[in-house]
Amino acid sequence: MSGALKGLQGPTDKDLLVGFETSDDAAVYKISSEIAMINTVDFITPPVDDPYWFGQISAANSISDVYSMGGRPLTALNVVMFPSGHLDMGILREILMGGADKVVEAGACLVGGHTVDDNEPKYGLCVNGVVHPDRIITNAGAMPGDILILTKPLGSGVLFNAVRSGKFPYGELEKEVLPVLASLNKTAMETALRYELHACTDITGFGILGHALEMADGSSVGIAVEHRALPFYGGALDMYKKGETTGSNRANRALVGKFPFTLECSLGKAEEEILYDPQTSGGLLLSLPAEQGERLLQDLVAEDITAARIGEVFSGGKTALVVR
């Protein structure tokens, strides 16, 4: 879809600090020497049938874009598409309750929204936040010598599909996966901001390689991802081995294939496919100096956050993505 932006004239306002040119997570506009405004919007289709879980996960997914820019969410507007003639309005109420509870947890205010009738439920938030103009974190600041830390496991996309096809038990998804997906990236980012954080993005629909590629491209560096260090949800790799996949894997592979990409290790089909698995409300990918990484990992673990060192940044004249 990003190709649709080609040919559009970019904004020239000097106070627009972050626009769409680097595929960043949100836009940032300078209001004063002390305050910049963060704007983002996101909505998704239901990953699970439970409407309250759907509301929580979608809200956490939307709010994450403010955290990934180093900011604090202030207000949120509901974005709702709902088949009112086919589904009970009590379902919509549960979706909105899940979203509202997550907004409150984030310390923001739910101030309204917009609803349209549609054939399939969709829900998300337009979120506004603030950040100091000199402390914005983008996906374009990674530096050679940095290490990469990921703060949530991977593989939620294939697990959602596996539940629908009956290959994976919903009870296990609800116990082990949904609470992580519904958790805010607030604590992870607040912890990371104690260090010299160079770049950040959250891992969502493009998968780990797609979003690592965006960081490499925006930063004009190379990124090496260590496959053996990647954390996966229990059962995710096994689902790929059993033939399950997602509707986004092929497109995500095509995206990565447009850039210099090297696979230095020998991987089976399942091990390779999970690299393209689309995430919903995924973790943060953090880039910071190697000498600070171990202390940040310890701090994240102390906060009960699943965190792993998954790669490194290296210098190069062009974007490069390597899997080892």
Side-chain angles (χ1 to χ4, degrees), residues 3-321:
L5 295 174
K6 291 182 178 179
L8 294 181
Q9 181 178 350
T12 57
D13 192 322
K14 63 180 177 58
D15 289 322
L16 181 67
L17 304 181
V18 180
F20 56 72
E21 53 283 334
T22 57
S23 301
D24 235 306
D25 294 301
V28 184
Y29 190 90
K30 184 177 179 180
I31 301 297
S32 70
S33 61
E34 298 291 323
I35 299 174
M37 176 176 58
I38 303 174
N39 302 118
T40 184
V41 61
D42 203 348
F43 58 90
I44 60 174
T45 56
V48 291
D49 291 336
D50 185 291
Y52 186 74
W53 274 121
F54 173 33
Q56 287 192 96
I57 292 168
S58 183
N61 181 70
S62 299
I63 297 168
S64 178
D65 286 342
V66 173
Y67 293 134
S68 67
M69 305 298 291
R72 176 169 60 93
L74 293 181
T75 63
L77 295 164
N78 284 322
V79 179
V80 182
M81 283 134 275
F82 191 77
S84 59
H86 303 285
L87 292 179
D88 187 274
M89 294 301 289
I91 294 175
L92 178 57
R93 177 175 174 78
E94 286 293 311
I95 295 171
L96 297 178
M97 285 180 61
D101 286 349
K102 196 56 57 173
V103 171
V104 170
E105 183 184 338
C109 301
L110 186 63
V111 294
H114 187 69
T115 305
V116 298
D117 205 290
D118 200 358
N119 293 328
E120 182 180 16
K122 303 175 186 70
Y123 173 67
L125 298 172
C126 175
V127 188
N128 300 301
V130 291
V131 66
H132 192 286
D134 298 331
R135 298 173 196 151
I136 302 166
I137 306 297
T138 74
N139 68 358
M143 300 177 64
D146 282 0
I147 65 166
L148 301 173
I149 292 175
L150 180 65
T151 65
K152 285 185 184 180
L154 305 165
S156 61
V158 74
L159 291 179
F160 288 143
N161 280 12
V163 167
R164 295 187 187 101
S165 65
K167 294 178 182 177
F168 191 80
Y170 175 76
E172 191 168 338
L173 184 83
E174 186 173 41
K175 180 181 178 181
E176 303 293 337
V177 181
L178 299 189
V180 180
L181 299 182
S183 65
L184 296 170
N185 283 325
K186 176 181 179 180
T187 301
M189 193 59 178
E190 288 175 347
T191 303
L193 287 173
R194 301 173 194 161
Y195 294 87
E196 188 184 339
L197 188 61
H198 290 156
C200 176
T201 188
D202 58 353
I203 308 302
T204 50
F206 293 151
I208 181 62
L209 291 193
H211 289 287
L213 175 64
E214 286 185 336
M215 182 178 288
D217 188 42
S219 305
S220 298
V221 296
I223 281 181
V225 174
E226 307 287 342
H227 191 284
R228 63 182 177 273
L230 293 173
F232 300 118
Y233 290 108
L237 185 59
D238 191 46
M239 290 301 102
Y240 276 110
K241 290 179 179 178
K242 291 183 177 181
E244 193 64 72
T245 187
T246 81
S248 298
N249 277 53
R250 181 176 296 182
N252 287 346
R253 180 185 288 270
L255 170 67
V256 172
K258 293 178 181 178
F259 292 82
F261 171 56
T262 305
L263 187 62
E264 291 187 347
C265 56
S266 178
L267 298 176
K269 182 178 179 180
E271 285 81 3
E272 191 171 339
E273 278 299 311
I274 203 167
L275 295 171
Y276 303 100
D277 190 90
Q279 305 308 289
T280 301
S281 190
L284 300 176
L285 182 63
L286 307 164
S287 180
L288 75 163
E291 61 271 17
Q292 299 181 28
E294 189 58 39
R295 283 180 290 150
L296 174 56
L297 279 172
Q298 292 173 0
D299 287 350
L300 290 169
V301 171
E303 296 285 353
D304 293 324
I305 294 170
T306 300
R309 179 193 183 280
I310 67 155
E312 61 187 9
V313 181
F314 59 90
S315 60
K318 56 185 178 181
T319 299
L321 186 61

